[in-house]
Amino acid sequence: MSLVQQFSAYSDWRSSLADTLTRLGGWLAEQDLADTASRAQLDALHERLLGDRLTVAFVAEFSRGKSELINAIFFADCGARVLPSSAGRTTMCPTEILFDPAKLPCIELLPIETRAANTPIAEYRRYPDQWRRFTFDPGFAATIQSALSRVGERKAVSRQDARRMGFAIDPNGQSGLAPDAEGRVEVPAWRHAVINFPHPLLRQGLVILDTPGLNAIGAEPELTLSLLPAAHAVVFVLAADAGVTRTDLDVWRDHLRAAGEQAHGRIVVLNKIDGLWDGLRAPEEVDSEIDRQIDIVARTLAVPLDRVFAVSAQKGLLAKVSGDAQLLERSRIARLEQALSSELLPAKRRIVGEDVRRDAEGILREVRELLDARHAGAAEQLAELARVRGRNRDVIEYMARKIALDRKEFEQAVHRYHAVRSVFAGLSNRLLARLGSDAQRAAARRTREEMLAATFSIGLRATMARYFAGLHEALAASESDIDEILRMLKAMYRRFVVEHALKLGEPPRFSTRRYEQRIARLEEAFNRHLNRPVSILTMEKRALTEKFFETVVTQARGTFAIAARDAEGWLRAVAGPLETQLREHQAQLRRRQENLDRVNEAAGALEARLAELRETEARLAVQLAELAEFGAALNGSLQVAAEPAAA
Ligand SMILES: Nc1nc2c(ncn2[C@@H]2O[C@H](COP(=O)(O)OP(=O)(O)O)[C@@H](O)[C@H]2O)c(=O)[nH]1
Ligand SMILES: [Mg+2]
């Protein structure tokens, strides 16, 4: 399948999942089985599914052909070169290409001056008036091109202004920008660009991130600390005519090699192989030269051979635009597209699938347990009444007394549960407070104060290290809170299962491991990019503090916010079913007693009650079957997610 087809299949799958969830929500409401918690959970899941995006980032030194490659892979059907691509630096700022149907096709640009304000780009997304907007007509290549060429704009500013915006100045041009004769330096005009482009893949949630050369002096840590790690695939581009240069290696080492969880999602492209088709060498010779270069690249970057794709972006674009199948074959673009889609989509399906599985299965299980309990209850009442048939009053009264005794005992157990419940509430609150925003805000405030008060770089580093230690500690403490909660719940569950025959599965586990991993990754990126003696010595204390907050603290707080949300969901999921079952069991005992009382009072009551119960039992069986259908539909979709993609 081509990238476009794979992607369409993925979004079809996603919307069919979303559909099933909508139908499930409707059914639960209609059957009076939805509580507010499960409704909120379903809505949130639905929203997450539909808002789901997939980001592919292109990273390289400038002029390796990133923009051309994006044109060839994604925009050839526009019939022209959409992103500007030419010798020299044409992309001066990170550029996101996506589609938001709520907006007109346009390019939005955040002025470079905003860097002086020390506010992260993510924050500016909430203030549209801070961006300059230029619309274009997606039907006219010329208007697109002229709007998009703005990503290459630059401007001359004074040294002081440049420094205030965080650019390093160096008269030799070695470690910073070199001022001209008038003492001015040239900086990019824009800090970030977002291109809103109505393209089928972008409509379906694909986001493309084109970057300027990362070693571009003064690149923002936000790019490396938050935009790249969030990408689902990163394409690293080299050029055959340049080979692997020093700066290429630096970019690879600093930004790509260790950036993700694994090598997964990393693709290396060796572009411009058309330079080797000099018309003098035989095709076999060209091919073996390409193989030789792939081999060198793989060895230099220490990646498997099959991670390296030799292509010609330029010829690929030309071939697609002019419909030249032979040239397309020679450009080898299709192989790269294939790799990109099989890299991207199955992994994404798995992640999204796991998310849905976790949340949806919890809801389904809870409803199933409830229906099962009701169903078993109806059957029990039926059997009991059948036994009563033809018996005398004494026997029936004796049975009623026995139920009354059971009821009393159960009430006592519920009482004991309520006592434990307050302990549970205390533990839950402690857990949520550890992960919650108040604690995180306080830790951040403390860290900022200490950083600004630090007199030496040692103090600064120690404070930042303490901040991380605090995060790890909070997560470790949460883990032991969770253990304690689980131990208590398990004992509780077991007791009700053994002593009162309640139908409860084991409470599910919750672990902070994935947040711990995220924080560890963040720390690693921080150590690599910010926590270096050079950054700390050259950056002004206030600027460093702000950078630390914009990048590290913002991300850490984001992670904790997700952890708190997940923990809250888990607490609801473990406490909910038990409470529901307790209520059900109480109602069941009451109904049984009422049955017997009624039978004793009136002669015809027994048969009427039996008929009623049979009806109830049948209705519950239908509900259970319908619920099982939802489970099967979800499972079917999720199964597809777990399988490797068909080639
Ligand atoms: N010969 C050749 N030139 C290419 C190819 N891809 C890009 N280029 C040229 O390389 C230069 C830089 O390309 P561009 O896409 O702007 O690179 P970027 O800075 O990495 O985005 C431009 O002059 C392109 O025309 C290719 O496959 N073959
Ligand atoms: Mg470019």
Side-chain angles (χ1 to χ4, degrees), residues 94-134:
T95 304
E96 279 171 81
I97 314 168
L98 48 81
F99 186 60
D100 174 356
K103 288 183 191 165
L104 285 174
C106 66
I107 179 166
E108 291 170 303
L109 297 149
L110 186 63
I112 194 75
E113 288 77 14
T114 58
R115 274 175 69 148
N118 275 318
T119 307
I121 296 161
E123 193 88 9
Y124 276 106
R125 290 181 206 266
R126 282 189 270 139
Y127 303 101
D129 56 324
Q130 298 285 320
W131 301 66
R132 294 284 306 280
R133 185 170 301 102
F134 302 92

Side-chain angles (χ1 to χ4, degrees), residues 176-471:
L177 300 166
D180 64 11
E182 281 109 68
R184 297 171 79 78
V185 293
E186 201 173 56
V187 298
W190 312 108
R191 182 178 176 194
H192 198 82
V194 177
I195 299 174
N196 198 43
F197 197 95
H199 180 277
L201 287 175
L202 305 182
R203 253 180 225 287
Q204 289 166 17
L206 179 70
V207 178
I208 300 167
L209 179 64
D210 189 9
T211 57
L214 271 184
N215 276 18
I217 294 154
E220 292 192 61
E222 193 167 356
L223 183 61
T224 41
L225 282 169
S226 81
L227 289 174
L228 283 186
H232 299 92
V234 181
V235 180
F236 178 60
V237 189
L238 295 164
D241 56 3
V244 187
T245 67
R246 246 228 88 76
T247 52
D248 285 326
L249 254 183
D250 287 345
V251 171
W252 172 258
R253 220 185 6 244
D254 292 348
H255 302 285
L256 287 143
R257 200 179 52 192
E261 301 91 294
Q262 341 83 341
H264 200 81
R266 301 268 171 279
I267 288 181
V268 179
V269 168
L270 180 64
N271 188 29
K272 307 196 189 183
I273 54 167
D274 56 292
L276 301 170
W277 316 341
D278 53 9
L280 295 173
R281 279 182 275 199
E284 307 80 65
E285 270 180 88
V286 173
D287 282 349
S288 68
E289 171 61 17
I290 292 174
D291 285 345
R292 203 180 62 81
Q293 292 214 13
I294 290 179
D295 194 59
I296 295 175
V297 168
R299 264 188 293 130
T300 316
L301 302 183
V303 293
L305 272 178
D306 62 5
R307 300 268 78 194
V308 185
F309 295 85
V311 303
S312 168
Q314 197 186 60
K315 296 295 183 271
L317 176 63
L318 179 63
K320 283 188 180 179
V321 170
S322 61
D324 183 339
Q326 211 180 344
L327 187 62
L328 187 62
E329 173 67 34
R330 271 195 107 183
S331 76
R332 302 194 185 193
I333 281 282
R335 251 175 281 177
L336 170 62
E337 289 180 8
Q338 176 65 50
L340 199 56
S341 51
S342 56
E343 186 76 24
L344 213 54
L345 296 165
K348 182 68 182 171
R349 272 195 189 203
R350 260 195 306 280
I351 297 166
V352 171
E354 268 163 33
D355 234 30
V356 174
R357 191 186 292 281
R358 207 189 39 238
D359 289 10
E361 277 191 348
I363 296 171
L364 288 177
R365 184 177 349 102
E366 191 174 342
V367 176
R368 195 179 325 108
E369 282 174 0
L370 170 66
L371 291 178
D372 274 341
R374 285 187 185 166
H375 192 253
E380 190 184 11
Q381 292 180 61
L382 271 169
E384 191 164 62
L385 286 181
R387 277 201 306 278
V388 162
R389 212 187 241 137
R391 297 298 182 103
N392 63 30
R393 255 191 116 81
D394 286 352
V395 176
I396 297 176
E397 261 166 17
Y398 168 74
M399 286 170 76
R401 271 201 304 280
K402 203 165 159 293
I403 296 175
L405 214 65
D406 277 357
R407 264 183 94 172
K408 199 184 263 160
E409 246 175 50
F410 190 68
E411 290 311 323
Q412 280 162 356
V414 170
H415 240 82
R416 278 198 302 276
Y417 166 73
H418 282 301
V420 179
R421 173 101 184 99
S422 66
V423 181
F424 173 78
L427 287 174
S428 303
N429 288 340
R430 195 168 80 191
L431 172 64
L432 293 178
R434 267 192 226 293
L435 300 171
S437 56
D438 285 349
Q440 287 307 308
R441 195 174 311 120
R445 190 179 321 115
R446 214 164 38 239
T447 303
R448 186 189 289 272
E449 279 161 11
E450 285 176 22
M451 280 181 80
L452 292 178
T455 28
F456 294 106
S457 62
I458 291 182
L460 274 175
R461 297 182 81 162
T463 307
M464 293 190 284
R466 254 200 312 281
Y467 178 70
F468 274 109
L471 298 179

Side-chain angles (χ1 to χ4, degrees), residues 61-68 85-87 90 271-272 274 312-314:
E61 252 308 358
F62 70 96
S63 232
R64 299 292 181 256
K66 289 181 297 293
S67 302
E68 191 76 335
S85 157
S86 60
T90 39
N271 188 29
K272 307 196 189 183
D274 56 292
S312 168
Q314 197 186 60

Side-chain angles (χ1 to χ4, degrees), residues 388-577:
V388 162
R389 212 187 241 137
R391 297 298 182 103
N392 63 30
R393 255 191 116 81
D394 286 352
V395 176
I396 297 176
E397 261 166 17
Y398 168 74
M399 286 170 76
R401 271 201 304 280
K402 203 165 159 293
I403 296 175
L405 214 65
D406 277 357
R407 264 183 94 172
K408 199 184 263 160
E409 246 175 50
F410 190 68
E411 290 311 323
Q412 280 162 356
V414 170
H415 240 82
R416 278 198 302 276
Y417 166 73
H418 282 301
V420 179
R421 173 101 184 99
S422 66
V423 181
F424 173 78
L427 287 174
S428 303
N429 288 340
R430 195 168 80 191
L431 172 64
L432 293 178
R434 267 192 226 293
L435 300 171
S437 56
D438 285 349
Q440 287 307 308
R441 195 174 311 120
R445 190 179 321 115
R446 214 164 38 239
T447 303
R448 186 189 289 272
E449 279 161 11
E450 285 176 22
M451 280 181 80
L452 292 178
T455 28
F456 294 106
S457 62
I458 291 182
L460 274 175
R461 297 182 81 162
T463 307
M464 293 190 284
R466 254 200 312 281
Y467 178 70
F468 274 109
L471 298 179
H472 292 303
E473 244 163 62
L475 288 173
S478 302
E479 193 71 26
S480 65
D481 283 349
I482 292 168
D483 281 340
E484 201 173 337
I485 291 174
L486 254 173
R487 247 196 325 276
M488 201 178 82
L489 278 170
K490 274 189 180 157
M492 207 69 217
Y493 270 47
R494 206 167 301 131
R495 191 152 181 191
F496 278 107
V497 168
V498 172
E499 292 176 12
H500 301 279
L502 256 53
K503 294 185 178 49
L504 284 162
E506 279 270 291
R509 232 208 106 72
F510 176 68
S511 160
T512 58
R513 214 187 60 230
R514 55 177 169 151
Y515 319 109
E516 179 62 46
Q517 280 170 348
R518 279 200 211 188
I519 297 294
R521 272 209 301 282
L522 180 64
E523 188 168 12
E524 195 203 50
F526 155 73
N527 282 326
R528 213 152 4 95
H529 298 291
L530 215 51
N531 192 20
R532 294 197 299 201
V534 273
S535 330
I536 295 191
L537 286 179
T538 51
M539 246 194 259
E540 195 229 337
K541 185 171 72 183
R542 180 166 289 277
L544 179 73
T545 306
E546 295 308 332
K547 274 279 161 292
F548 183 71
F549 271 77
E550 278 171 32
T551 53
V552 173
V553 177
T554 309
Q555 299 254 350
R557 289 181 62 176
T559 299
F560 270 72
I562 296 171
R565 184 201 70 196
D566 292 350
E568 219 175 325
W570 174 72
L571 289 167
R572 259 202 316 265
V574 286

